[in-house]
Amino acid sequence: MRKAIAHLSAADPLLGAHIGRIGRIKRDPPQFSEPYPALLSAVAHQQLHARAAEAILGRLKMLSGGALPSPAAMLALPEEALRGCGFSASKMAALRDIAAKAADGTIPSRARALRLTDSELIGRLTAIRGVGQWTVEMLLIFTLRRPDVLPVDDFGVREGYRLLHGLAAQPKPKELARLGELWAPYRSTAALYLWRAADLGKPEAK
């Protein structure tokens, strides 16, 4: 991260000052190393508090011996079992499509994913039901640890930029994409610090 911090600080002095105040962000190991379970978890967390999503995932794990079910096992689970875990109809459909796409190879293993570009992975994975570009960008940043991903549609990223640069309104996604070109090839690290800025800007953090 040292090279990333040096580059970002030189490219954007206001971001650099924020980095200087925060220091190096310690990143925990990813919860999942493989794209398939990471996508299952991401869909479970959509529009839910983290604690509620983890409870639902815990019930799903209980159905398959304590781990998230394999693609074949997921496809074999009856609808009643998934509903009993707490999944909505739309999430059940998304989970089944994720399992089907893992089984047919659309969702690559980590080893295969490492040979694909960010744009190739976004193109492949956003074709899956319930998986949008933001979800894939989170997979790229947190599961695959890609270094140069800027999720410009993310509220926290745009809010962090607004706060650091003293703007009255958040930049639009296209504008932030243009502004963020200065941060390449370390835009994922920039996103981490922008999220932190947004967190620090919340009233309860003051």
PDB file of all heavy atoms in Angstrom, residues 150-154 158 170-179:
ATOM      1  N   LEU A 150     -12.768   1.787  -9.068  1.00  0.00           N
ATOM      2  CA  LEU A 150     -13.421   2.920  -8.422  1.00  0.00           C
ATOM      3  C   LEU A 150     -14.933   2.781  -8.610  1.00  0.00           C
ATOM      4  O   LEU A 150     -15.448   3.006  -9.694  1.00  0.00           O
ATOM      5  CB  LEU A 150     -12.937   4.237  -9.023  1.00  0.00           C
ATOM      6  CG  LEU A 150     -13.519   5.507  -8.385  1.00  0.00           C
ATOM      7  CD1 LEU A 150     -13.099   5.604  -6.914  1.00  0.00           C
ATOM      8  CD2 LEU A 150     -13.067   6.749  -9.148  1.00  0.00           C
ATOM      9  N   PRO A 151     -15.660   2.420  -7.557  1.00  0.00           N
ATOM     10  CA  PRO A 151     -17.121   2.251  -7.673  1.00  0.00           C
ATOM     11  C   PRO A 151     -17.833   3.599  -7.636  1.00  0.00           C
ATOM     12  O   PRO A 151     -18.292   4.063  -6.588  1.00  0.00           O
ATOM     13  CB  PRO A 151     -17.467   1.376  -6.463  1.00  0.00           C
ATOM     14  CG  PRO A 151     -16.414   1.686  -5.460  1.00  0.00           C
ATOM     15  CD  PRO A 151     -15.164   2.039  -6.230  1.00  0.00           C
ATOM     16  N   VAL A 152     -17.942   4.226  -8.786  1.00  0.00           N
ATOM     17  CA  VAL A 152     -18.419   5.611  -8.842  1.00  0.00           C
ATOM     18  C   VAL A 152     -19.899   5.739  -8.511  1.00  0.00           C
ATOM     19  O   VAL A 152     -20.376   6.856  -8.236  1.00  0.00           O
ATOM     20  CB  VAL A 152     -18.131   6.233 -10.226  1.00  0.00           C
ATOM     21  CG1 VAL A 152     -16.625   6.322 -10.467  1.00  0.00           C
ATOM     22  CG2 VAL A 152     -18.819   5.457 -11.345  1.00  0.00           C
ATOM     23  N   ASP A 153     -20.655   4.656  -8.531  1.00  0.00           N
ATOM     24  CA  ASP A 153     -22.069   4.715  -8.162  1.00  0.00           C
ATOM     25  C   ASP A 153     -22.280   4.580  -6.663  1.00  0.00           C
ATOM     26  O   ASP A 153     -23.411   4.717  -6.177  1.00  0.00           O
ATOM     27  CB  ASP A 153     -22.851   3.617  -8.880  1.00  0.00           C
ATOM     28  CG  ASP A 153     -22.929   3.846 -10.379  1.00  0.00           C
ATOM     29  OD1 ASP A 153     -23.329   4.956 -10.780  1.00  0.00           O
ATOM     30  OD2 ASP A 153     -22.588   2.935 -11.147  1.00  0.00           O
ATOM     31  N   ASP A 154     -21.229   4.312  -5.913  1.00  0.00           N
ATOM     32  CA  ASP A 154     -21.346   4.087  -4.486  1.00  0.00           C
ATOM     33  C   ASP A 154     -21.554   5.409  -3.748  1.00  0.00           C
ATOM     34  O   ASP A 154     -20.763   6.354  -3.895  1.00  0.00           O
ATOM     35  CB  ASP A 154     -20.078   3.399  -3.968  1.00  0.00           C
ATOM     36  CG  ASP A 154     -20.198   2.988  -2.521  1.00  0.00           C
ATOM     37  OD1 ASP A 154     -19.907   3.821  -1.634  1.00  0.00           O
ATOM     38  OD2 ASP A 154     -20.589   1.847  -2.267  1.00  0.00           O
ATOM     39  N   ARG A 158     -18.778   8.678  -3.209  1.00  0.00           N
ATOM     40  CA  ARG A 158     -19.071  10.038  -3.674  1.00  0.00           C
ATOM     41  C   ARG A 158     -19.200  11.016  -2.506  1.00  0.00           C
ATOM     42  O   ARG A 158     -18.777  12.173  -2.599  1.00  0.00           O
ATOM     43  CB  ARG A 158     -20.335  10.027  -4.535  1.00  0.00           C
ATOM     44  CG  ARG A 158     -20.102   9.359  -5.890  1.00  0.00           C
ATOM     45  CD  ARG A 158     -21.280   9.479  -6.826  1.00  0.00           C
ATOM     46  NE  ARG A 158     -22.366   8.595  -6.432  1.00  0.00           N
ATOM     47  CZ  ARG A 158     -23.595   8.996  -6.161  1.00  0.00           C
ATOM     48  NH1 ARG A 158     -23.919  10.269  -6.222  1.00  0.00           N
ATOM     49  NH2 ARG A 158     -24.519   8.117  -5.842  1.00  0.00           N
ATOM     50  N   GLN A 170     -22.576  16.005  -4.021  1.00  0.00           N
ATOM     51  CA  GLN A 170     -21.714  14.912  -4.472  1.00  0.00           C
ATOM     52  C   GLN A 170     -21.471  15.011  -5.980  1.00  0.00           C
ATOM     53  O   GLN A 170     -22.358  15.407  -6.734  1.00  0.00           O
ATOM     54  CB  GLN A 170     -22.372  13.562  -4.194  1.00  0.00           C
ATOM     55  CG  GLN A 170     -22.527  13.210  -2.736  1.00  0.00           C
ATOM     56  CD  GLN A 170     -23.146  11.830  -2.559  1.00  0.00           C
ATOM     57  OE1 GLN A 170     -23.495  11.163  -3.527  1.00  0.00           O
ATOM     58  NE2 GLN A 170     -23.268  11.385  -1.320  1.00  0.00           N
ATOM     59  N   PRO A 171     -20.289  14.633  -6.436  1.00  0.00           N
ATOM     60  CA  PRO A 171     -20.081  14.564  -7.883  1.00  0.00           C
ATOM     61  C   PRO A 171     -20.931  13.453  -8.482  1.00  0.00           C
ATOM     62  O   PRO A 171     -21.194  12.443  -7.823  1.00  0.00           O
ATOM     63  CB  PRO A 171     -18.589  14.247  -8.008  1.00  0.00           C
ATOM     64  CG  PRO A 171     -18.239  13.573  -6.726  1.00  0.00           C
ATOM     65  CD  PRO A 171     -19.105  14.210  -5.674  1.00  0.00           C
ATOM     66  N   LYS A 172     -21.386  13.652  -9.689  1.00  0.00           N
ATOM     67  CA  LYS A 172     -22.121  12.602 -10.394  1.00  0.00           C
ATOM     68  C   LYS A 172     -21.140  11.475 -10.736  1.00  0.00           C
ATOM     69  O   LYS A 172     -19.925  11.689 -10.829  1.00  0.00           O
ATOM     70  CB  LYS A 172     -22.745  13.147 -11.667  1.00  0.00           C
ATOM     71  CG  LYS A 172     -23.747  14.279 -11.426  1.00  0.00           C
ATOM     72  CD  LYS A 172     -24.957  13.797 -10.659  1.00  0.00           C
ATOM     73  CE  LYS A 172     -25.996  14.914 -10.519  1.00  0.00           C
ATOM     74  NZ  LYS A 172     -27.143  14.487  -9.689  1.00  0.00           N
ATOM     75  N   PRO A 173     -21.661  10.259 -10.942  1.00  0.00           N
ATOM     76  CA  PRO A 173     -20.764   9.137 -11.229  1.00  0.00           C
ATOM     77  C   PRO A 173     -19.804   9.386 -12.390  1.00  0.00           C
ATOM     78  O   PRO A 173     -18.606   9.092 -12.274  1.00  0.00           O
ATOM     79  CB  PRO A 173     -21.740   7.991 -11.526  1.00  0.00           C
ATOM     80  CG  PRO A 173     -22.931   8.307 -10.679  1.00  0.00           C
ATOM     81  CD  PRO A 173     -23.057   9.806 -10.746  1.00  0.00           C
ATOM     82  N   LYS A 174     -20.294   9.938 -13.490  1.00  0.00           N
ATOM     83  CA  LYS A 174     -19.408  10.173 -14.633  1.00  0.00           C
ATOM     84  C   LYS A 174     -18.332  11.193 -14.298  1.00  0.00           C
ATOM     85  O   LYS A 174     -17.178  11.073 -14.722  1.00  0.00           O
ATOM     86  CB  LYS A 174     -20.221  10.623 -15.850  1.00  0.00           C
ATOM     87  CG  LYS A 174     -21.032   9.516 -16.511  1.00  0.00           C
ATOM     88  CD  LYS A 174     -21.700  10.012 -17.780  1.00  0.00           C
ATOM     89  CE  LYS A 174     -22.475   8.886 -18.456  1.00  0.00           C
ATOM     90  NZ  LYS A 174     -23.155   9.358 -19.697  1.00  0.00           N
ATOM     91  N   GLU A 175     -18.703  12.196 -13.528  1.00  0.00           N
ATOM     92  CA  GLU A 175     -17.727  13.210 -13.137  1.00  0.00           C
ATOM     93  C   GLU A 175     -16.676  12.605 -12.212  1.00  0.00           C
ATOM     94  O   GLU A 175     -15.476  12.878 -12.353  1.00  0.00           O
ATOM     95  CB  GLU A 175     -18.426  14.374 -12.437  1.00  0.00           C
ATOM     96  CG  GLU A 175     -17.492  15.491 -12.025  1.00  0.00           C
ATOM     97  CD  GLU A 175     -18.189  16.585 -11.247  1.00  0.00           C
ATOM     98  OE1 GLU A 175     -19.376  16.440 -10.919  1.00  0.00           O
ATOM     99  OE2 GLU A 175     -17.515  17.598 -10.947  1.00  0.00           O
ATOM    100  N   LEU A 176     -17.111  11.774 -11.271  1.00  0.00           N
ATOM    101  CA  LEU A 176     -16.145  11.153 -10.365  1.00  0.00           C
ATOM    102  C   LEU A 176     -15.220  10.207 -11.116  1.00  0.00           C
ATOM    103  O   LEU A 176     -14.032  10.112 -10.793  1.00  0.00           O
ATOM    104  CB  LEU A 176     -16.873  10.400  -9.250  1.00  0.00           C
ATOM    105  CG  LEU A 176     -15.963   9.802  -8.174  1.00  0.00           C
ATOM    106  CD1 LEU A 176     -15.100  10.872  -7.516  1.00  0.00           C
ATOM    107  CD2 LEU A 176     -16.788   9.063  -7.123  1.00  0.00           C
ATOM    108  N   ALA A 177     -15.761   9.511 -12.127  1.00  0.00           N
ATOM    109  CA  ALA A 177     -14.908   8.637 -12.941  1.00  0.00           C
ATOM    110  C   ALA A 177     -13.799   9.448 -13.599  1.00  0.00           C
ATOM    111  O   ALA A 177     -12.637   9.014 -13.656  1.00  0.00           O
ATOM    112  CB  ALA A 177     -15.743   7.913 -13.981  1.00  0.00           C
ATOM    113  N   ARG A 178     -14.154  10.637 -14.093  1.00  0.00           N
ATOM    114  CA  ARG A 178     -13.144  11.499 -14.728  1.00  0.00           C
ATOM    115  C   ARG A 178     -12.148  12.013 -13.703  1.00  0.00           C
ATOM    116  O   ARG A 178     -10.936  11.974 -13.914  1.00  0.00           O
ATOM    117  CB  ARG A 178     -13.847  12.669 -15.430  1.00  0.00           C
ATOM    118  CG  ARG A 178     -12.900  13.663 -16.094  1.00  0.00           C
ATOM    119  CD  ARG A 178     -13.655  14.815 -16.725  1.00  0.00           C
ATOM    120  NE  ARG A 178     -14.453  15.549 -15.755  1.00  0.00           N
ATOM    121  CZ  ARG A 178     -13.951  16.450 -14.907  1.00  0.00           C
ATOM    122  NH1 ARG A 178     -12.644  16.719 -14.908  1.00  0.00           N
ATOM    123  NH2 ARG A 178     -14.738  17.093 -14.071  1.00  0.00           N
ATOM    124  N   LEU A 179     -12.659  12.495 -12.572  1.00  0.00           N
ATOM    125  CA  LEU A 179     -11.778  13.011 -11.530  1.00  0.00           C
ATOM    126  C   LEU A 179     -10.858  11.918 -10.992  1.00  0.00           C
ATOM    127  O   LEU A 179      -9.686  12.161 -10.682  1.00  0.00           O
ATOM    128  CB  LEU A 179     -12.623  13.578 -10.380  1.00  0.00           C
ATOM    129  CG  LEU A 179     -13.445  14.830 -10.697  1.00  0.00           C
ATOM    130  CD1 LEU A 179     -14.459  15.081  -9.584  1.00  0.00           C
ATOM    131  CD2 LEU A 179     -12.537  16.034 -10.884  1.00  0.00           C
TER     132      LEU A 179
END
